[in-house]
């Protein structure tokens, strides 16, 4: 309970501190450059030039310290070894030859291809179908729900589905193995099955992200003007033709946004792999590998940082694309 | 709009397809939810999908020993119930392993030694001997029984009080509440300035924030952990509050700025003309009008912090007083790997709150998602 009091008092101090900062900094600014007296005009201009910076300053400080500075710091750390000595590009050449890193990079690329594609596809199907029925919004809620579940919770849910019982351990209690046996197949330890175990981990993220894709694509589908659809219908187009030839081309932009958003999530995937396999049996990914180098018995911050820089590099194209899009929008 | 015949067939197909999709999406969660209410033995011997229907089992029990027989008129009787606990329905019984289902409940079976045995549908048995029997081995009874589905809250009791999830829940709350509220305020002021105040370099700042949206958090771990250690915060709540504030700010500023920029400019201009200061405009006009966007961000941040594992693993200690629920569950996955009753209940303790938030505030969540990804890209 002490702890919650601590949390609540932090909120009060934090919120009060913020409000006090904004309030008093504005008052001080008005005192220093009063909007009256001989220099009123000049003062107002000066105050107006400074005030926006008072408003953005706390945010900029926090962002600078917690996101911008670390990018550079990590970059410099990636050129040092475990003891902090400068080693140039050694960590990167080590990475290039390291089997675990290659495995992680390969897996990450696999995730990158499969998860965004599958999530967007299922999201599009779900959005297209639920738009047409009465209980569509209920169905959407239920498909969307995994978004609220933590990756760890989702991992527990799916680990139970993939559960395996050996020959003398009684009947299968994992849904997947029970179904496989019911259809005459042999139960498997899915999580250790080389290569395919990656797919089984990806299914968890697809299960979570489909709802996200569906919600956004469904809104985009609703935004399409009725006229084009009606015109196509009058020309004798079937519902499927309307969906693929009229609707989809009009929401390409949104599909691209959904795809890239999921791509970024996938690049950073950690929790699922950590909870399901911890990178064993050929399922290692970059984020988990980095965590491993950071917290193993003798941590190597240099190698860890080099792995992070690889993730950063992979994210950069999306970042540039986002910035240019936002820039176009604001113009 | 569509012709009747094809329409109804199509509607059927669509309904079926959606039904299938929904089932596919909720069954995983549902299975674990059911399991969290089943007892340990039930989970490990049968699939959760059998839990909802009555289960048939064959059990072998030993009746009470003949030494305990009591006299009832002419006969000596041993009696009792074949179910040790709870209830069940006997559908058949027998007295030899060769014919374990020879008799219907209520029928009388005569043993080779002459005593008469009967088992009722409710499980009550009665063995009547003609003379006072002796012996310390009870008669074996073969019973085929149907037991009703049974559910228990014991798993939840155990994870909350014995497996550390109760304390972890408290820790998660401790992390989540300040980490949700503090960034909102900081972001709201910045968003207002970026939306409605003239400043040089505004476009550059906005572009920078859009860029920061996708920066992988991993870059921050090593430098900030070093920083926290150097300034004496170390691993603890203050560090994680600051970290979550920093990591949440790009989205907060971005969402709020987009929303505020869409507010009608006339209101703000006329307030300016009336001599209102920016601070007053922000507090009296912008903040109340931006409520939907504030709510959207609050929900995002809440879900993200509550569900986070990685940031907590990095910035919090591993002691009992700092481990959050996701961290505790991962520990349990390692140490209690096969104990599904523990894992299922733990998972649902941590899932319950986000799900409740999700279903009650879904509107704002959807709005935030749309604003966050469609508008800004």
């Amino acid at each position: 309970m002490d702890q919650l009091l601590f949390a609540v008092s932090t909120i009060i101090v934090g919120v009060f501190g913020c409000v006090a900062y904004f309030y008093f900094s504005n008052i001080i600014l008005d005192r220093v450059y009063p909007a009256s007296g001989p220099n009123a005009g000049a003062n107002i201009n000066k105050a107006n030039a400074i005030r926006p910076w008072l408003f953005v300053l706390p945010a900029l400080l926090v962002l600078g310290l917690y996101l911008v500075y670390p990018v550079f710091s990590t970059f410099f750390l990636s050129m040092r070894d475990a003891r902090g000595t400068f080693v140039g590009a050694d960590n990167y050449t080590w990475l290039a030859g390291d089997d675990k890193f290659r495995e992680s990079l390969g897996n990450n690329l696999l995730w990158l291809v499969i998860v965004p594609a599958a999530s967007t596809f299922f999201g599009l199907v779900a959005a297209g179908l639920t738009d047409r029925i009465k209980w569509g919004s209920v169905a959407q809620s239920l498909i969307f729900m995994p978004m609220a579940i933590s990756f760890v919770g989702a991992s527990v849910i799916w680990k139970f589905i993939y559960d395996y019982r050996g020959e003398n351990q009684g009947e299968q209690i994992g849904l997947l193995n029970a179904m496989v046996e019911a259809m005459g197949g042999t139960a498997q330890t899915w999580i250790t099955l080389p290569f395919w175990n990656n797919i089984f981990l990806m299914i968890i993220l697809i299960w979570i992200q489909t709802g996200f894709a569906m919600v956004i694509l469904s809104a985009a589908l609703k935004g399409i003007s009725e006229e084009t659809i009606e015109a196509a219908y009058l020309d004798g187009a079937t519902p499927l033709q309307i969906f693929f030839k009229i609707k989809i081309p009009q929401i390409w932009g949104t599909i691209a946004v959904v795809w890239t958003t999921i791509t970024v999530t996938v690049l950073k995937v950690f929790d699922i792999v950590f909870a399901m396999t911890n990178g064993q049996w050929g399922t290692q990914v970059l984020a988990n590998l980095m965590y491993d180098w950071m917290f193993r018995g003798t941590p190597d911050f240099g190698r860890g940082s080099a792995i992070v820089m690889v993730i950063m590099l992979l994210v950069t194209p999306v970042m540039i694309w986002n910035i240019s899009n936002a820039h176009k929008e604001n113009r | 709009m569509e012709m009747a015949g094809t329409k109804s067939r199509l509607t059927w197909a669509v309904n079926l397809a959606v039904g299938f999709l929904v089932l596919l999406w909720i069954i995983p969660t549902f299975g674990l939810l059911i399991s969290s209410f089943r007892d340990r033995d039930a989970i490990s011997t049968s699939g959760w999908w059998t839990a909802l229907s009555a289960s048939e089992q064959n059990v072998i029990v030993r009746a009470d020993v003949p030494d305990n027989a009591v006299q009832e008129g002419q006969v000596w009787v041993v009696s009792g119930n074949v179910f040790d606990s709870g209830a069940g329905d006997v559908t058949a019984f027998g007295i030899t392993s060769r014919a374990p289902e020879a008799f219907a409940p209520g029928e009388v079976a005569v043993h080779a030694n002459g005593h008469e045995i009967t088992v009722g549908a409710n499980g009550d048995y009665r063995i009547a001997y003609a003379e006072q029997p002796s012996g310390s081995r009870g008669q074996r009874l073969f019973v085929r029984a149907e037991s009703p589905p049974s559910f228990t809250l014991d798993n939840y009791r155990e994870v909350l009080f014995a497996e550390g999830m109760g304390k972890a829940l408290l820790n998660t709350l401790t992390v989540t509440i300040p980490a949700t509220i503090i960034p909102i305020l900081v972001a709201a002021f910045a968003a207002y300035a970026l939306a409605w105040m003239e400043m040089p370099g505004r476009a550059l700042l906005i572009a920078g924030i859009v860029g920061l949206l996708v920066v992988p958090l991993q870059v921050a771990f090593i430098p900030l952990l070093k920083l926290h250690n150097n300034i004496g915060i170390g691993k603890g709540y203050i560090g994680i509050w600051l970290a979550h504030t920093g990591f949440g700010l790009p989205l907060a500023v971005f969402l709020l700025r987009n929303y505020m920029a869409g507010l009608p400019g006339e209101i703000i201009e006329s307030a300016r003309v009336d001599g209102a200061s920016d601070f007053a405009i922000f507090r009296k006009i912008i903040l109340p009008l931006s409520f939907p966007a504030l709510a959207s961000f609050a929900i995002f941040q809440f879900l993200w912090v509550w569900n986070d594992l990685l940031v907590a693993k990095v910035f919090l200690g591993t002691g009992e007083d700092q481990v959050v629920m996701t961290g505790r569950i991962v520990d349990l996955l390692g140490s209690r790997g096969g104990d599904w009753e523990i894992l299922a209940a733990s998972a649902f303790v941590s899932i319950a709150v986000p799900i409740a938030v999700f279903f009650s505030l879904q509107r704002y969540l959807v709005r935030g998602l749309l604003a966050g990804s469609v508008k800004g890209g």
Side-chain angles (χ1 to χ4, degrees), chain B residues 58 103 188-189 286 312 314 344 346:
Chain B
N58 290 310
F103 304 95
F189 277 97
I286 300 287
V314 174
S346 303

Side-chain angles (χ1 to χ4, degrees), chain B residues 99-173:
Chain B
E101 294 174 30
F103 304 95
E107 282 181 356
V108 176
V110 180
H111 193 268
N113 295 347
H115 52 271
E116 295 177 344
I117 302 156
T118 180
V119 178
N122 63 356
D124 285 341
Y125 64 84
R126 178 186 150 92
I127 306 173
Y129 298 87
E131 288 163 29
Q132 177 168 18
S134 68
S136 55
R137 278 170 67 83
Q139 167 68 41
R140 275 203 303 176
L141 300 173
F142 299 83
V143 176
R144 181 163 181 80
E146 225 171 48
S147 24
S150 83
F151 296 104
T152 164
L153 285 173
D154 286 353
N155 301 333
Y156 286 94
R157 211 165 291 137
E158 185 175 351
V159 298
L160 283 176
F161 301 111
E163 293 290 343
M165 282 301 283
K167 181 69 177 133
L169 175 65
L170 203 65
N171 296 343
T172 295
L173 274 173

Side-chain angles (χ1 to χ4, degrees), chain A residues 3 66 74 135 141 216 322 329, chain B residues 15 171 219 362 373 375 377:
Chain A
Q3 207 174 296
Y66 276 84
T74 300
W135 56 291
S141 272
I216 301 211
N322 277 356
E329 187 121 354
Chain B
N15 270 306
N171 296 343
V219 299
Q362 202 186 140
S373 48
K375 263 184 91 179

